[in-house]
Amino acid sequence: MAAIRTKPDPQIYTFEGFGSSRYPNLMLRGAGELDNWRLQVYTRKWEGYEACRKALKMEPAAVTAEVKASDLRGRGGAGFRTGMKWGFMPKDTPERKVTRYLVCNGDEGEPGTFKDRAILEYNPHQLIEGMIIAGWAMQCRTGFIYLRGEFSWLIDKLEAALQEARDAGYLGKDILGTGWDYDILTYRGAGAYICGEETALLNSLEGRRGEPRVKPPFPASVGAFGQPTTVNNVETLAAVAPILRMGGAAYAELGTPGNTGTRIYGLSGHVKRPGLYELPLGLPMDFILNDLGGGSSTGRKIKAVIPGGSSAPVFDAKDFDCPMDFDTVKARGSMAGSGGMIVMDESTCMVQALLRLTHFYAHESCGQCTPCREGCNWMEMILHRIEHGQGRPADLDLLASLPPRINMRTLCPLGDAACGPVESFLQKFRPEFEYHIEHKSCMAGAKSILPGVLAPA
Amino acid sequence: MNHPLPPETSDVPLAPGERLPRTQREKLSPEAIAKIQSIAAQFPDRMAGTLPALYIAQKEFGFLSLGAMKEVAAALGVPEGHVFGVATFYTMFRKKPVGRYHFEVCTNLCCALNGAADLLAKVIEKTGARPGEGPSPDGLWSVDEVECLASCGSGPCIQINHGVFDEFVDEAKLEALMDACRRGETAAWGE
């Protein structure tokens, strides 16, 4: 008997106004309800596959135009415009010469990010519907859902949902009488964070080591199996059906200009009500933290928040009023990234927090590029000795000198991702690091959060 | 170019102080080979079947020895060196035996902020297995520290074989889970 999650996910909370036209619930619909993944529930309760039927009656170019009109930006982290990305796929090449692929990036491995799991677990048909619409828009033959290996318990559910869609005629040969053949296959990764990077993901999908590729050529021209490929995040593809259903222009009215629609924010760490919140872009961080998240879970003040997954530069208290959209967060020196917000109260030792994050990047570096492979390990080593009372006065300058030597000097952004926390922690919490070196103890004075491999012997 | 692997009896170390242990099985079952080949046939390139095939082999052999990797290469018709390279790249392909119930404790930042260190210490104490050191003497448990399991909002989190368990607010939940394992209510590794 396989282990089964027996209760609704406790992480999903609601609040007054949730589901209204101001805060529409587009992607987490029915999340937490155990039978929500079934096709009949999706069809009966959520107008399932209506958007798909509508899209299949439109010209593929018109579907792309609708997504362009919605101004949807990729929810995986980079915030690239989805309609524009779809537009990069070659259109006029005869099918006997190319096979176009759509790949759904479900390799959710960034600490603080847990939004895609909820969609895959509770709303797989919305993702499948989005993939059918995207596949039609780009005239793909096959779609792949690349899931991280740890989601083995989700694969069965996803396979069952795909089979339901096949049985209902939404996948397979001659979909809904259009003459278009299209199917979706799942592919399970095997535990490498780097496979979330699109070219590493494609290598992994081809059965190789998940090492990023040199770009150009970009996946739109040479992607999976050497064919034109578009890679989109789970949340991005899950947003496609609502866009088609409500119309691109109506979707663009949500959020702020240039940062349209809703996205799922994940709250974790020292926060009273951690969980997933689907909200229009542009709401201030302190509203999400305090009004929805309930503020600190420990009764102590919140000292720092990482706003968009662990690779985003950290915010201190003066930035908590920042509107959470791609452009404003970037202008304030961080990135909205994947929307995973990690909250740390004032008892958190920032040296330990940074050491834990840097250990992650050093562990997950694929080793292909020397600046990332050596640099991440070096940063971890320096932080390790600062944390364990062996820091030297020159260590902080040495540490600060490393990110400029890693940033933008690697094939993929993993090296840059490791540098964001280091630079921002040093910039905003330098006195804590100096205190550690000088006093060989922690300014915050709290108990160590470091487990196993990082704890002192 | 095919880079064949050395015979399994080789004493050449993989890493300082580390050698791939041997498995008791020597051959993949005909059903496993048929499954590997049918999966590989779904893709435009047989090589794409490498990861699924390694999972199948891992289930059959318990972990991936050199012999298991060679079997996968033969079943797929791809170079042995390629299979070895892939198997050693990914952390979920086990190069050493694990216990019947394999505990993977997430110790990344979100879980760490909510007490992952204490949870890991409790798991080590109760199972008698140490991270990265193989199964406990009774072969029932093994423990590893892992990076993020995408349960950040409800950490600290443990994955036991194929099940994710989170919200460890007290020790009782860990005890209950271990009891469920002892009673065989959770799938054993490889089932």
Side-chain angles (χ1 to χ4, degrees):
Chain A
M1 190 182 87
I4 293 168
R5 296 165 69 83
T6 52
K7 57 175 183 160
D9 198 320
Q11 300 179 77
I12 293 148
Y13 295 95
T14 187
F15 65 96
E16 204 176 330
F18 197 64
S20 66
S21 58
R22 191 171 173 211
Y23 302 115
N25 193 1
L26 301 177
M27 285 167 295
L28 288 180
R29 296 180 308 175
E33 295 167 20
L34 289 180
D35 63 348
N36 199 64
W37 69 275
R38 305 301 303 248
L39 176 64
Q40 53 172 337
V41 178
Y42 183 59
T43 315
R44 194 183 64 234
K45 275 175 77 176
W46 310 119
E47 302 161 312
Y49 290 96
E50 272 186 23
C52 167
R53 288 175 187 278
K54 183 177 169 187
L56 292 180
K57 286 179 191 147
M58 295 161 68
E59 283 296 313
V63 176
T64 306
E66 200 69 47
V67 175
K68 276 186 182 162
S70 75
D71 210 12
L72 173 70
R73 294 175 71 168
R75 304 299 197 227
F80 194 78
R81 288 187 157 73
T82 306
M84 194 188 283
K85 196 177 202 179
W86 289 10
F88 292 153
M89 288 283 268
K91 287 167 212 63
D92 303 325
T93 323
E95 275 188 21
R96 61 189 158 77
K97 288 201 176 161
V98 296
T99 310
R100 300 176 196 84
Y101 292 117
L102 173 69
V103 178
C104 168
N105 184 347
D107 191 80
E108 183 176 50
E110 177 129 329
T113 308
F114 50 107
K115 64 193 174 65
D116 295 343
R117 198 191 75 176
I119 296 172
L120 291 160
E121 189 168 6
Y122 294 113
N123 244 338
H125 278 291
Q126 185 158 332
L127 171 66
I128 295 167
E129 187 179 5
M131 287 188 73
I132 297 171
I133 296 167
W136 173 251
M138 290 176 275
Q139 287 294 291
C140 300
R141 284 278 166 206
T142 309
F144 294 103
I145 302 178
Y146 183 96
L147 277 187
R148 62 178 299 191
E150 289 87 346
F151 284 167
S152 59
W153 47 280
L154 271 179
I155 283 257
D156 291 346
K157 200 178 243 187
L158 199 54
E159 289 283 1
L162 284 168
Q163 192 54 47
E164 282 185 330
R166 277 184 208 112
D167 293 343
Y170 298 121
L171 287 174
K173 299 265 179 209
D174 187 22
I175 296 172
L176 302 182
T178 53
W180 176 55
D181 304 339
Y182 178 70
D183 207 346
I184 298 173
L185 300 176
T186 57
Y187 199 89
R188 186 177 161 210
Y193 166 67
I194 187 61
C195 291
E197 196 277 333
E198 64 175 358
T199 57
L201 184 151
L202 295 175
N203 264 344
S204 185
L205 180 67
E206 291 178 8
R208 301 166 200 277
R209 297 160 72 96
E211 289 170 333
R213 299 174 181 174
V214 181
K215 288 196 276 191
F218 291 93
S221 44
V222 182
F225 308 104
Q227 302 296 311
T229 304
T230 294
V231 184
N232 283 141
N233 178 254
V234 170
E235 192 186 342
T236 312
L237 288 165
V240 170
I243 288 170
L244 262 284
R245 199 166 44 240
M246 64 202 285
Y251 185 86
E253 282 172 17
L254 294 165
T256 58
N259 294 271
T260 59
T262 61
R263 78 173 309 189
I264 305 173
Y265 295 97
L267 275 185
S268 60
H270 293 142
V271 63
K272 197 177 277 175
R273 291 193 290 268
L276 297 171
Y277 298 89
E278 184 179 345
L279 299 165
L281 271 88
L283 289 172
M285 182 190 269
D286 45 17
F287 170 74
I288 302 174
L289 276 183
N290 298 316
D291 294 54
L292 306 182
S296 162
S297 59
T298 57
R300 300 184 199 98
K301 266 175 66 182
I302 294 173
K303 174 159 78 174
V305 175
I306 298 176
S310 67
S311 58
V314 69
F315 273 168
D316 58 11
K318 71 176 172 22
D319 287 317
F320 290 172
D321 59 340
C322 178
M324 289 298 288
D325 64 54
F326 291 103
D327 298 328
T328 317
V329 177
K330 190 174 175 193
R332 300 278 283 256
S334 187
M335 57 184 193
S338 61
M341 293 160 64
I342 306 172
V343 182
M344 290 170 268
D345 76 4
E346 59 187 3
S347 73
T348 311
C349 169
M350 300 313 268
V351 180
Q352 288 181 5
L354 182 58
L355 171 57
R356 188 63 194 82
L357 288 178
T358 309
H359 172 74
F360 170 74
Y361 289 104
H363 179 268
E364 297 296 337
S365 171
C366 78
Q368 202 177 192
C369 309
T370 307
C372 172
R373 182 186 64 240
E374 301 297 324
C376 291
N377 275 311
W378 201 5
M379 292 194 295
E380 186 194 349
M381 201 169 71
I382 297 167
L383 285 164
H384 197 274
R385 67 174 180 244
I386 294 175
E387 165 59 21
H388 293 99
Q390 293 149 0
R392 306 160 191 169
D395 270 350
L396 291 187
D397 289 337
L398 180 60
L399 189 59
S401 74
L402 290 171
R405 298 173 188 186
I406 301 171
N407 251 332
M408 309 295 284
R409 282 168 166 76
T410 51
L411 282 177
C412 84
L414 191 137
D416 307 3
C419 295
V422 172
E423 284 176 318
S424 60
F425 273 64
L426 277 183
Q427 189 195 342
K428 295 192 169 144
F429 300 98
R430 193 174 175 110
E432 283 203 34
F433 290 79
E434 288 168 347
Y435 188 95
H436 251 276
I437 293 173
E438 198 178 327
H439 298 274
K440 311 209 179 303
S441 64
C442 178
M443 188 191 248
K447 170 182 155 188
S448 173
I449 57 163
L450 292 175
V453 284
L454 293 171
Chain B
M1 194 170 82
N2 193 351
H3 298 280
L5 297 175
E8 198 168 6
T9 48
S10 169
D11 282 327
V12 179
L14 286 164
E18 188 187 12
R19 289 177 173 82
L20 275 185
R22 299 186 67 163
T23 46
Q24 290 175 352
R25 286 186 70 113
E26 290 191 348
K27 296 284 171 198
L28 276 170
S29 67
E31 300 80 41
I33 292 173
K35 198 170 172 193
I36 287 171
Q37 290 179 345
S38 78
I39 289 173
Q42 290 181 301
F43 297 98
D45 181 351
R46 295 181 62 77
M47 206 172 258
T50 309
L51 268 70
L54 283 168
Y55 274 120
I56 292 169
Q58 181 160 278
K59 202 169 167 182
E60 288 244 321
F61 290 81
F63 67 96
L64 294 172
S65 64
L66 276 178
M69 294 176 200
K70 288 179 178 191
E71 282 286 293
V72 166
L76 280 172
V78 299
E80 291 178 351
H82 160 76
V83 175
F84 180 79
V86 172
T88 50
F89 181 82
Y90 295 97
T91 53
M92 289 184 71
F93 295 132
R94 312 193 186 292
K95 273 68 76 177
K96 290 177 183 169
V98 293
R100 189 170 163 79
Y101 299 103
H102 184 56
F103 281 58
E104 294 173 294
V105 185
C106 173
T107 57
N108 213 304
L109 184 59
C110 307
C111 285
L113 290 171
N114 286 313
D118 290 343
L119 179 63
L120 179 71
K122 278 178 206 161
V123 172
I124 292 172
E125 181 197 323
K126 287 182 183 299
T127 58
R130 292 193 64 80
E133 290 185 6
S136 57
D138 58 6
L140 206 56
W141 316 108
S142 56
V143 180
D144 265 326
E145 270 184 63
V146 291
E147 299 300 340
C148 189
L149 290 171
S151 278
C152 314
S154 48
C157 170
I158 298 180
Q159 179 152 320
I160 303 173
N161 299 347
H162 301 294
V164 173
F165 303 91
D166 40 27
E167 296 220 313
F168 282 89
V169 286
D170 56 29
E171 218 173 308
K173 181 163 179 176
L174 179 60
E175 278 288 356
L177 262 176
M178 290 181 69
D179 282 343
C181 290
R182 287 189 194 100
R183 290 194 302 269
E185 290 170 14
T186 302
W189 177 252
E191 271 179 21

